[in-house]
Amino acid sequence: MIIVDVTEKEQREKLRREFTSNVSHELKTPLTTIYGVSDMMAEGIVKQADVKTFGRNIKEESGRMISLIDDIIKLSKLDENSFPEESCSVDLFDMAKDVIDRLNIKAGERGVKLFLEGGHASVNGIPSLCDEIVYNLCDNAIKYNKEGGSVIIRVEDLNEGVTLTVEDTGIGIPFEYRDRIFERFFRVDESHSQTVDGTGLGLSIVKHAVSYMGGTIEVESAEGVGTKMIVRFSRDRS
């Protein structure tokens, strides 16, 4: 008699089905909007004064689809361990500076202040993945923050390795959802997420990228107080 445990296989199959269903839903929404708007324009029932607004809607929904597809491709590469880039020494402090420069306008629109603390610390990693990690964590810290809040990015070179911490003063995460926030398309608050741009895949990409480079990520959060994301890597000794 042979007994085979198929639990993991069944779980993977369930995750694949859920992912396919979620992707279909996320793609259908912008496609429906694009089809509806373009159909009205093609039929000539759009006033000339409204053409610019309708064209902007098509552009925004198309951009949303492109972002979603890009994120799906990134996750697929991480799932298959087929990232084309080679590892090299990456200074997370310099990378955090660059990310802050790119996010300053978005932060300013919400009145959120960005602060960088710590010092230079290098890890042996893939530059584009390091950028995804820092950018997504900081972007989330801005999007789910409070008006007039702050985000502290801290890079530390410790004995046990390099630590990247992104701490915000935002809405926080309920305790029961802390592990689930890294699931693909998972939203803690659907009503709030409707007003926030994004694909719903950012934190999933972060977790996979951290794991891909041999690191770990922890979450400390309290509702209404804020969230702290702590990423730990082995230090680059080259």
Side-chain angles (χ1 to χ4, degrees):
M1 181 176 65
I2 300 176
I3 300 176
V4 180
D5 186 352
V6 296
T7 303
E8 183 177 354
K9 181 180 178 181
E10 290 293 329
Q11 288 176 339
R12 286 181 176 273
E13 188 59 37
K14 180 183 177 182
L15 288 173
R16 273 194 291 269
R17 288 196 299 268
E18 290 178 352
F19 184 63
T20 301
S21 175
N22 285 327
V23 168
S24 299
H25 173 74
E26 294 290 335
L27 286 174
K28 184 177 180 180
T29 301
L31 273 173
T32 300
T33 301
I34 292 170
Y35 179 84
V37 172
S38 58
D39 183 53
M40 292 173 65
M41 295 178 71
E43 293 298 323
I45 59 178
V46 177
K47 296 178 182 179
Q48 188 62 36
D50 295 329
V51 169
K52 189 173 181 179
T53 300
F54 278 58
R56 188 182 302 114
N57 287 340
I58 292 175
K59 179 182 178 181
E60 289 174 354
E61 294 300 328
S62 299
R64 180 180 167 187
M65 287 180 59
I66 291 170
S67 295
L68 177 61
I69 292 170
D70 284 343
D71 281 353
I72 291 171
I73 291 172
K74 291 170 190 170
L75 278 172
S76 177
K77 289 179 179 178
L78 288 168
D79 283 341
E80 297 172 2
N81 292 321
S82 61
F83 234 81
E85 297 178 58
E86 293 185 2
S87 295
C88 63
S89 181
V90 180
D91 189 321
L92 289 183
F93 192 79
D94 285 341
M95 183 156 285
K97 280 184 184 177
D98 178 67
V99 168
I100 288 174
D101 288 340
R102 286 148 57 194
L103 287 173
N104 259 327
I105 294 178
K106 177 181 283 191
E109 291 172 349
R110 290 183 51 81
V112 175
K113 295 182 179 180
L114 305 177
F115 301 95
L116 178 59
E117 298 179 353
H120 294 281
S122 296
V123 297
N124 185 38
I126 296 174
S128 64
L129 289 186
C130 291
D131 183 77
E132 287 285 345
I133 293 166
V134 180
Y135 187 92
N136 278 315
L137 290 180
C138 293
D139 188 42
N140 264 18
I142 294 170
K143 288 191 294 188
Y144 294 98
N145 215 316
K146 299 173 182 175
E147 291 286 341
S150 63
V151 177
I152 299 174
I153 303 99
R154 188 179 301 107
V155 179
E156 299 173 286
D157 192 351
L158 306 174
N159 289 332
E160 60 271 23
V162 174
T163 299
L164 165 71
T165 305
V166 179
E167 184 174 1
D168 64 58
T169 56
I171 60 176
I173 304 165
F175 179 80
E176 63 270 25
Y177 295 135
R178 288 188 195 176
D179 292 333
R180 297 199 62 194
I181 60 172
F182 297 106
E183 294 178 13
R184 299 170 189 190
F185 297 112
F186 180 76
R187 308 274 189 173
V188 173
D189 183 351
E190 289 290 344
S191 61
H192 182 80
S193 65
Q194 296 299 317
T195 63
V196 175
D197 64 326
T199 63
L201 295 173
L203 284 181
S204 184
I205 290 174
V206 168
K207 184 175 181 180
H208 279 67
V210 169
S211 177
Y212 187 88
M213 295 192 301
T216 61
I217 183 167
E218 299 173 16
V219 183
E220 295 178 6
S221 185
E223 284 188 84
V225 177
T227 299
K228 181 191 291 186
M229 296 283 188
I230 307 164
V231 180
R232 293 186 172 90
F233 293 110
S234 298
R235 187 169 58 251
D236 180 19
R237 299 181 182 277
S238 61

